[in-house]
Amino acid sequence: MTKKIRTYSTEFKGEAVKKIADNNGNVSATAKQLGIAMQTLSNWQNKANECKLVGTKQYDPELMAIIEENKRLKRDLKVAQEEREILNEEG
């Protein structure tokens, strides 16, 4: 039995997060009204609070670009450190 994965538009996610405020911050009631899992809505709310959810007024594309660059730099650093360790072991 395969489980169907539902995808939601950025507009829907943004509106869903806004609707939480209409329900006095009640994520559970909002999720029931929208017919989505409470954890899904909670995840969207957390992303919105971190300015990472596209479709919300809090979303900051510059912040997202910085976060992505930071991830890339951490990966590059890890590779460089591993290469240095290999060279030190050979030397």
Side-chain angles (χ1 to χ4, degrees), residues 28-86:
S28 178
T30 306
K32 282 182 183 178
Q33 288 175 355
L34 297 172
I36 60 176
M38 186 180 85
Q39 187 60 49
T40 299
L41 184 56
S42 180
N43 289 343
W44 295 345
Q45 183 182 35
N46 290 339
K47 282 186 176 184
N49 291 340
E50 296 169 358
C51 303
K52 296 179 183 179
L53 185 66
V54 177
T56 59
K57 65 181 178 184
Q58 300 100 319
Y59 177 70
D60 186 350
E62 290 179 17
L63 175 62
M64 291 307 297
I66 290 169
I67 290 170
E68 290 304 315
E69 181 182 19
N70 191 29
K71 287 179 186 177
R72 182 187 58 78
L73 291 171
K74 284 181 177 182
R75 282 192 305 269
D76 292 350
L77 176 61
K78 184 176 181 179
V79 169
Q81 288 172 332
E82 290 171 353
E83 289 173 349
R84 186 184 69 208
E85 285 178 22
I86 291 170

